Amino acid sequence: IIGSQAGGYRFNSGPSWSTDIAVVERLVAEAQARTSAAPALAASAARRGLTMLARGEPLPGVQQSDADWVGECVRHVEGLRRRLRRALWLADMGLGRWDDLVEQAEATLVSEPHDEDAGRALMTAHHSRGDRGSALRAYDRLRAHLLDDLGVEPSHETDRLYAAILRDERGPISAHRSGAELIPDDVRLVGPDVDLQRLVDAWGDAA
C-alpha cells in the first residue's frame, strides 16, 4: 500500500494496513449482522461506511472502458453502498426512527428514482408514523417513474406492501421482523434485463 507523508510517499505492508474498501466491507458485515439484535450499533456501522463512501467516487478520472476490472470495482462499491443503505434502513425501522428513514429514502430517490428498496422504505416510514396518504403517494411516484422511464411495473414485494397499506395493516408493516421482506438482501436491478426475466419466469410457471 502506498501511503503519503511529509516530503513524499512510502510503501507500507503488513497486517496493520488496510484499504478503505476493506474497512467498508467489514462495516457492511457488522451492520447486516446487528440489524435485529443491536439496531443502534448496526445504524452506527452503516453510517460510518456510508460516510467513507461519500468521500468520492472510486477511481476518479478512469474510464470504465479502459479495463474490465475498473467496471467491476465501480459495481462492487455501488453494491456495498446499497447494502449499507438497507442495513441502515432496517436498523432505523427497529429503532422507530421514522423521520430519519423518510429523510434518507427521499434523498436516495432524488438521485435514483427507480430504487424500489428506497421506495418501500419511504412507504413503510410514512405509514408507520401515521401518514397513510404520503405512503400511497410515494408508491404512485415510484410506479410512475418505473413505467414512464423503464416500461416496467413495480415488483411483487412493492405491490404487496402497497396492498397492505391500502388495507391499513399498520402492525405487520411497522414490525422490525418484516424489514427483510420490505427490503430484500439481494440487489434488485430494474430495466430491460429484469423485464425479460419476468417473462421467463412467467413462461416457466405456465409450462
Side-chain angles (χ1 to χ4, degrees), residues 22-142:
V23 174
V24 171
E25 288 171 343
R26 289 196 292 271
L27 290 171
V28 169
E30 179 183 350
Q32 290 181 321
R34 291 180 166 178
T35 51
S36 296
L41 294 176
S44 176
R47 286 193 175 92
R48 287 168 56 199
L50 289 169
T51 298
M52 291 186 68
L53 292 181
R55 294 174 182 171
E57 295 301 317
L59 304 173
V62 180
Q63 297 295 324
Q64 293 192 30
S65 58
D66 292 344
D68 291 340
W69 66 269
V70 177
E72 291 176 2
C73 178
V74 172
R75 288 189 292 273
H76 179 60
V77 169
E78 184 54 34
L80 293 174
R81 195 191 318 275
R82 287 194 177 105
R83 291 165 66 188
L84 286 167
R85 284 175 182 164
R86 283 196 299 271
L88 179 57
W89 295 339
L90 288 173
D92 281 344
M93 287 180 192
L95 295 167
R97 294 175 175 169
W98 306 119
D99 291 345
D100 290 346
L101 186 54
V102 167
E103 181 179 350
Q104 296 155 14
E106 285 182 338
T108 298
L109 288 166
V110 168
S111 58
E112 302 177 43
H114 312 113
D115 189 326
E116 290 196 55
D117 283 352
R120 287 193 295 272
L122 182 59
M123 292 162 64
T124 301
H126 277 314
H127 189 255
S128 295
R129 66 179 186 175
D131 191 350
R132 182 166 171 259
S134 291
L136 296 175
R137 286 191 292 273
Y139 172 86
D140 289 338
R141 289 193 301 270
L142 175 63

